[in-house]
């Protein structure tokens, strides 16, 4: 390979990392959009979480379609188009989704907004499939990890900025808009936001298309067949549809319509009681109690039925993946990468990781409305959402230090200084936009704990995952058993725990797969589906037992991630693979 080929193509790289920013910006911005839509469209917590369902299910569907087409044609569709064209197509598809969002917002249609986000994320799925290998292609393969990590750092910066910009688009600079007043807001700023986003997608696509310095990135590598795995994945997909359909339909049932009507009557009764001193208050209180009792009688079995279907959806995913592995173990032909236990457990780990990462942030807005958690209105939560997603940036920036081959005192200083700089940037960008960050100054103590965890992990993926998994478990338990600032900090620290998990899970899952490595990577990307399944389950659990208690879901997720690291370490040892020699890779 000559010098020209191994020299990093910086103009192309800088063009490429713009798409990394988009992924983080939109995904984190959804955490502000969720509580807004809940009150604007009068939704319950589950319905508001359908924003995540639409967004992350699109990632899964996009990856599944691409893999299916590649399996039957024998060619990787992204490689055949070329990474450059694939990213252009993905950006244009996302621009189409932005257009659908604009139409839906103008029509005041929540379902239309979900469709728009689904289309945006389908474009992201195509972009993400092409972007990571493209970053490696743009220079010496030995330094490919550093380019991917640079993209990851830009992605994390997008997650920090996204909540702030979306908050400004929805609420302006106001911080005292009550949730009742949200229904009176006009959505013209959201239209402007998505016009800008759509134009940025088109602009980035044009930048790629007209740039002569961006190579085509065509790859003609053959695709390993996995017909049985594809049949199982499509069966899972159909069964997920079967499980979610009754939940969606239940919101149109006679019981649901009656509950909405009773809630309106209940609200009117409470308003009259507060405003009118001449009425018979005893009679009013009796009516209120009767309405509340009637709502409870109707709601409890309905909510339990919905929860049962959602648990069934989770069982479909877990059962489908485990069925694939047990079948592949008996006869590996047709199963491809699923014959490897580290990959199967890794698929569940990615599903769980993305699910808990998204669920914590997406349900945080509702948690902060509780009196014990500050009683904040939706217009005041942006700094906390920004800090949560920014926590992932803190960890990812610290995790990227290893690519610079620092050692001794230089590495020690970097591991301390870089996270603190990232924390300062999060505070700074919020303060510049007029946010009061004083309640979050002492969150630096959580960052210092994370720094300590980095020193303990010693850049070893299994060890890192165990330490950060336990960090997540303890943080969520502290959040569950306390209230106020301590609990808020604990739940925000979930972002610090998640920050370094993706590359560790990815590396442990694909090691030893040989010719099935690329296929295994595709299966792992499909499991971003967890971001579409776990948040709605937590949302429905919140509707039943309360938002604070619903964070038990996060405890269970972090517990599995810790268990995965322990199990896969033993599995790889049996395969004579040195776990400590594995280098982390991948970006999310």
């Amino acid at each position: 390979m000559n010098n020209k080929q191994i020299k990093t193509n910086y103009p192309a790289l800088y063009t490429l990392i713009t798409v990394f920013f988009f992924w983080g910006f939109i995904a984190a911005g959804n955490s502000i959009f969720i509580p807004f839509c809940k009150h604007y469209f009068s939704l319950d917590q589950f319905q508001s979480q359908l924003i995540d369902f639409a967004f992350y299910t699109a990632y899964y569907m996009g990856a599944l379609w691409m893999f299916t087409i590649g399996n039957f044609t024998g060619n990787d569709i992204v490689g055949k188009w070329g990474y450059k064209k694939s990213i252009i197509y993905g950006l244009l598809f996302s621009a189409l989704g932005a257009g659908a969002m604009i139409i839906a917002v103008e029509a005041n249609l929540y379902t239309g907004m979900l469709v728009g986000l689904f289309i945006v994320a389908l474009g992201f799925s195509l972009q993400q499939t092409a972007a990571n290998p493209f970053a490696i292609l743009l220079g010496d393969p030995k330094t490919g990890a550093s380019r991917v990590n640079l993209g990851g750092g830009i992605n994390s910066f997008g997650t920090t900025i996204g909540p702030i910009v979306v908050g400004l688009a929805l609420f302006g600079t106001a911080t005292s808009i009550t949730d009742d007043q949200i229904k009176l807001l006009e959505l013209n700023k959201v239209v402007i936001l998505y016009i800008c986003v759509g134009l940025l997608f088109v602009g980035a696509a044009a930048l790629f298309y007209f740039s002569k310095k961006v190579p085509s990135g065509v790859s003609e590598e053959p695709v390993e067949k996995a017909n049985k795995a594809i049949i199982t994945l499509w069966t899972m997909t159909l069964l997920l549809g079967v499980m979610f359909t009754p939940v969606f339909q239940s919101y149109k049932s006679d019981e649901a319509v009656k509950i909405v009507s009773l809630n309106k009557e209940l609200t009117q009764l409470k308003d009259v009681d507060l405003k009118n001193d001449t009425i018979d208050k005893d009679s009013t209180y009796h009516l209120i109690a009767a309405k509340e009792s009637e709502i409870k009688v109707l709601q409890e079995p309905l909510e339990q039925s919905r929860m049962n279907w959602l648990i069934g959806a989770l069982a479909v995913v877990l059962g489908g993946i485990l069925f694939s592995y047990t079948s592949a173990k008996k006869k590996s032909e047709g199963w491809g990468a699923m014959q490897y236990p580290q990959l199967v457990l890794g698929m569940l780990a990615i599903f769980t990781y993305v699910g808990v990462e998204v669920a914590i942030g997406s349900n945080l807005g509702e948690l902060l409305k509780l009196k014990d958690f500050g009683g904040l209105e939706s217009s005041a939560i942006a700094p906390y959402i920004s800090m949560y997603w920014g926590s992932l940036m803190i960890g990812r920036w610290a995790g990227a230090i290893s690519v610079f081959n620092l050692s001794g005192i230089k590495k020690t200083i970097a591991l301390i200084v870089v996270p603190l700089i990232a924390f300062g940037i999060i505070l700074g960008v919020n303060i510049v936009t007029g946010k009061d960050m004083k309640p979050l100054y002492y969150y630096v103590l959580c960052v210092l704990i994370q720094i300590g965890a980095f020193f303990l992990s010693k850049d070893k993926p299994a060890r890192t995952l165990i330490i950060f998994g336990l960090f997540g478990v303890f943080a969520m338990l502290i959040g569950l058993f306390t209230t106020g600032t301590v609990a808020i900090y604990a739940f925000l620290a979930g972002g610090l725990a998640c920050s370094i998990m993706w590359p560790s899970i990815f590396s442990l899952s694909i090691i030893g797969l040989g010719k099935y490595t690329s296929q295994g990577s595709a299966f792992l990307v499909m499991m971003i589906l967890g971001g579409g399944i776990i948040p709605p389950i937590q949302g429905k659990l919140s509707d039943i037992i309360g938002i604070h208690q619903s964070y038990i879901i996060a405890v269970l997720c972090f517990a599995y991630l810790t268990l995965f690291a322990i199990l896969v370490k033993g599995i790889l040892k049996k395969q004579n693979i040195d776990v400590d020699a594995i280098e982390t890779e991948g970006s999310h």
Side-chain angles (χ1 to χ4, degrees), residues 32 49 54 85 129 161 213 258 346 415 454 486 504 518 523 574 587:
I32 296 292
Q49 295 297 314
K85 279 187 178 179
T129 302
I161 298 296
K213 293 186 177 181
K258 181 66 174 175
L415 279 173
F454 270 113
V486 171
S504 296
S518 178
F523 286 150
K574 289 180 181 178
S587 175

Side-chain angles (χ1 to χ4, degrees), residues 228 322-333 335:
K228 291 178 181 177
L322 292 176
F323 166 78
S324 300
Y325 171 62
T326 54
S327 299
K329 199 171 182 181
K330 294 176 183 176
K331 188 177 181 182
S332 62
E333 185 182 351
W335 287 104

Side-chain angles (χ1 to χ4, degrees), residues 36 40-41 101-113 183 185 187:
F36 172 85
Y40 189 85
F41 294 103
M101 274 291 289
I102 292 166
I103 294 170
V105 171
E106 290 283 15
N108 218 27
L109 189 63
Y110 180 59
T111 304
M113 293 182 188
K183 293 181 181 180
L185 292 176
L187 297 182

Side-chain angles (χ1 to χ4, degrees), residues 476-492:
M476 295 304 104
L477 287 173
I478 290 170
L480 274 173
F481 290 105
T482 60
T483 56
T485 301
V486 171
I488 292 172
Y489 280 14
F491 287 130
L492 291 177

Side-chain angles (χ1 to χ4, degrees), residues 28 41 48 111 153 210 219 227 239 257 310 326 449 458 524 546 550:
F41 294 103
S48 71
T111 304
F210 291 109
S219 173
N227 293 330
L239 288 174
V257 172
L310 291 173
T326 54
I449 293 172
K458 299 179 180 179
L524 290 173
S550 73

